Amino acid sequence: MDNEEEYYFGIAEGTLCEEAVALHHQRYQEVGFFKQNMKDPYIESSTYFIVQTPDRSKVVGVTRLIFMSLEELPTVKHFNIFEIEKLKLAGIERSKYAEISAFTKMPKHDVGLGLIKTVLSYSLNNGLTHWVCCIDERVYRYMHRIFKFPFEIIGEPNVYLGSKTIPCVLNLAECLETLKEKRRALYDYFMSDEEKEMEVL
């Protein structure tokens, strides 16, 4: 976790937002999730978060939160969501949830945890209580093993963007409670500097 200190993490605006979008698309094309010239309908509804190299010359990691009505979120739109879960989600105020997606980084840059910390900090500071997401099956198993995150499966797994993917929701308070109990060092890392102002890059 310490080797992330030299990198710059924050919200991307202006040309850095364009770089964030470009990196997302480049990496997703490289692994086969996106086809060349594929349209991304969620850019305008997203807040992007990036990691820059210590000299700030290059964006090496990106993720985003998509803010849309429930039925327009990619996960709800592209997966068969269980009726009971739809009802539960419908009970959450629109200002309290977002879909987390586009999580990617350049090889040899170990910045994933810092990126999660950055988005988590932003979410907590802005009153978000839930993340909706769809996770590649292998990533889902990895997350459970490493973090013990209580990802709740909310629908039927489906092939989405070229891989078997699981629709989930993450209750942020439950997630932090679980980390506090089972992964205390990770909890302390995520919550350190919680009161610090989010840097806009």
Side-chain angles (χ1 to χ4, degrees):
M1 290 181 246
D2 296 334
N3 62 349
E4 293 183 333
E5 291 304 310
E6 299 156 7
Y7 288 89
Y8 288 91
F9 297 84
I11 302 168
E13 291 193 342
T15 55
L16 281 175
C17 191
E18 290 168 23
E19 284 186 49
V21 171
L23 177 62
H24 168 216
H25 284 236
Q26 175 201 326
R27 293 291 295 143
Y28 270 43
Q29 280 174 26
E30 285 169 2
V31 297
F33 289 167
F34 279 0
K35 292 182 175 66
Q36 197 77 34
N37 303 319
M38 188 171 162
K39 281 263 184 260
D40 182 348
Y42 304 107
I43 294 171
E44 297 303 318
S45 305
S46 298
T47 297
Y48 283 84
F49 303 85
I50 57 166
V51 191
Q52 287 179 293
T53 48
D55 62 2
R56 294 203 174 193
S57 67
K58 192 173 182 187
V59 173
V60 293
V62 62
T63 191
R64 68 180 176 186
L65 289 173
I66 303 172
F67 294 92
M68 299 178 93
S69 65
L70 197 59
E71 61 278 3
E72 291 178 314
L73 292 177
T75 295
V76 178
K77 207 170 179 177
H78 295 285
F79 290 82
N80 183 14
I81 306 298
F82 304 136
E83 283 306 316
I84 186 81
E85 298 301 338
K86 270 189 191 165
L87 284 171
K88 280 197 224 163
L89 288 169
I92 305 168
E93 282 177 50
R94 182 166 170 172
S95 62
K96 303 281 185 189
Y97 64 79
E99 175 145 350
I100 186 164
S101 79
F103 190 88
T104 190
K105 65 180 188 65
M106 296 292 282
K108 299 189 176 130
H109 292 277
D110 190 14
V111 293
L113 283 179
L115 207 45
I116 292 170
K117 177 180 176 176
T118 303
V119 189
L120 179 63
S121 178
Y122 174 89
S123 299
L124 296 174
N125 288 335
N126 286 276
L128 295 183
T129 58
H130 292 76
W131 287 345
V132 177
C133 55
C134 51
I135 310 172
D136 177 274
E137 195 173 37
R138 289 157 302 182
V139 176
Y140 178 86
R141 286 200 298 267
Y142 169 81
M143 290 287 204
H144 257 288
R145 198 171 69 247
I146 302 299
F147 299 125
K148 308 292 188 200
F149 278 170
F151 279 106
E152 188 184 341
I153 297 173
I154 57 170
E156 293 170 14
N158 190 4
V159 174
Y160 179 61
L161 297 180
S163 71
K164 193 171 181 187
T165 306
I166 301 170
C168 301
V169 69
L170 185 67
N171 179 314
L172 299 182
E174 280 179 19
C175 163
L176 289 170
E177 202 52 50
T178 302
L179 283 179
K180 196 174 184 179
E181 187 188 326
K182 298 184 177 175
R183 291 282 188 272
R184 187 59 199 235
L186 202 50
Y187 171 84
D188 290 342
Y189 169 70
F190 282 152
M191 298 310 287
S192 62
D193 308 321
E194 177 47 38
E195 67 289 338
K196 205 166 74 179
E197 194 67 30
M198 171 73 60
E199 186 172 5
V200 177
L201 301 170

